[in-house]
Amino acid sequence: MNIIIVCYPTYGGSGVLATELGHKLAQLGHKIHFVAYKKPVRLKLTDDKVLFHKVNVPFYPLFNFQPYELALSSKIVEISESNPIDLIHVHYAIPHAYAAFMAKEMLKTKNINLPIVTTLHGTDITLVGKHPFYRRAVKFSIQNSDIVTSVSQSLKQDTIDFFKIDKEIEVIPNFIDVNRFKLKNENCKQNNRIIISHVSNFRPVKNIRTLLNILLKINNENLFFNMIGEGPELDLAQDFVKQNNINNIKFHGNSDEIEEILCSTDIFLLPSKRESFGLSALEAMASKCALVTSNRGGLPELNIENETGFLVDVNDEDKYVEKITDLISDKSKLEKFKHESFKRAQLFDIELIVPLYNELYYKLLK
Ligand code: GMT
């Protein structure tokens, strides 16, 4: 098949997931045309079945907002005119599903059919998508996709509840390449301190203030903290750490060494206000970390209470502290959770999940 994949090119989970999916689909024999405003961070173009098409949006001073959707739909049409495209798979509904619909309509006038698969990732529904300024267009784009998938049961339910749509939504969870993590785990540096890590885009939805208060409460010289990622509340976090003399901490920024950092981590902390899935938590599980997360969104589908870690009410700082302290003081529990985490991560292995997308494509084209 010839497949167009549209995604965000940044370090966010939806872009990472879309990129890994495209690589694997190419290995399965499909030709993948990635479309984004810049090359996705994890995209490798060494496979000649993987191509990248950049969407250029020329600056014009009349526009307060440059029309990205227009350029994107034009690019999709351009690619479909010169390649025998079988389907388009868009990741994150806004504005990708909308642009795909426009491209489909334009292509109809040239007698080209372009089936649309839309994967909902999270805030495209729970935060941005349901905003009154966007929701009609988002609902329309979902209704008019040929197939809609969601990365968790919780996100599927949120979509049905917010948009009152009657469209079938297939749940296909996010995935990781367990083997890649296994290799890193085997060659991982040992540490004599307990390492607690957090990975996110430091947006308010990640509950950074609560995270910092937890770190302050548990802080002692036997612990080390890793903060990975960049975003709007990173400055605030770095400031907080300075003000409160938390010295046993490292901010890694957007890192290409997540697997190395996670493999030496004991506890992964993710107190998100919303989290449709939590791809970073899955990466932590594959790296044998115990999880202490909020109980929001899809996190309970990943983190099993008292088995792979603990689930805590989103802002209950004392409970997070209690659970982390419990794990630090009970080494056998910590080891058991780490082991169970890795075991559970294998259910989300790339080899098991990507075939579900592949089957869906064939079903769509039947
Ligand atoms: O909405 C975001 O935070 C961005 C988005 C992304 O592009 O990374 O994250 C969402 O999609 C990820 C991949 O499916 C999920 O693992 C994240 O849980 C989800 N984020 C939220 O729901 C907050």
Side-chain angles (χ1 to χ4, degrees), residues 8 10-15 17 92 120-124 126 151 174 201 203 205-206 272 274-280:
Y8 281 101
T10 52
Y11 278 87
S14 64
L17 201 277
Y92 205 89
L120 310 172
H121 278 273
T123 46
D124 46 352
T126 58
V151 296
N174 285 338
N201 44 28
R203 280 188 284 150
V205 73
K206 301 293 174 177
S272 308
R274 294 171 198 274
E275 200 66 71
S276 69
F277 183 88
L279 186 59
S280 60

Side-chain angles (χ1 to χ4, degrees), residues 341-356:
S341 256
F342 181 68
K343 220 166 100 190
R344 184 159 176 76
Q346 296 179 35
L347 302 176
F348 300 87
D349 186 33
I350 190 166
E351 300 295 341
L352 299 174
I353 307 296
V354 171
L356 303 178

Side-chain angles (χ1 to χ4, degrees), residues 331-347:
K331 291 275 159 22
S332 76
K333 190 185 277 182
L334 178 60
E335 282 313 312
K336 187 172 153 273
F337 281 14
K338 287 169 74 168
H339 175 78
E340 288 303 319
S341 256
F342 181 68
K343 220 166 100 190
R344 184 159 176 76
Q346 296 179 35
L347 302 176

Side-chain angles (χ1 to χ4, degrees), residues 277-279 281-282 285 291 298-304 308 344 348:
F277 183 88
L279 186 59
L282 176 57
M285 290 169 87
L291 302 186
L299 286 170
E301 294 170 47
L302 200 58
N303 182 13
I304 308 300
T308 58
R344 184 159 176 76
F348 300 87

Side-chain angles (χ1 to χ4, degrees), residues 8-39:
Y8 281 101
T10 52
Y11 278 87
S14 64
V16 166
L17 201 277
T19 309
E20 302 293 355
L21 173 64
H23 286 152
K24 187 69 193 170
L25 290 169
Q27 276 176 25
L28 295 176
H30 302 303
K31 188 163 182 181
I32 309 298
H33 299 259
F34 278 94
V35 181
Y37 57 81
K38 72 174 189 218
K39 187 171 154 284

Side-chain angles (χ1 to χ4, degrees), residues 1-4 85-90 104 113-119 143-149 167-168 170 172 355-366:
M1 278 185 212
N2 272 270
I3 300 168
I4 296 178
I85 300 297
D86 293 287
L87 63 92
I88 179 168
H89 188 168
V90 298
K104 184 183 176 107
N113 178 33
L114 183 68
I116 304 172
V117 179
T118 296
T119 291
Q143 294 272 31
N144 285 284
S145 296
D146 295 278
I147 287 189
V148 180
T149 78
K167 182 118 203 140
E168 188 53 47
E170 190 100 23
I172 301 186
L356 303 178
Y357 282 114
N358 207 24
E359 281 161 27
L360 212 60
Y361 299 158
Y362 282 109
K363 199 167 104 192
L364 174 63
L365 298 186
K366 230 176 19 196

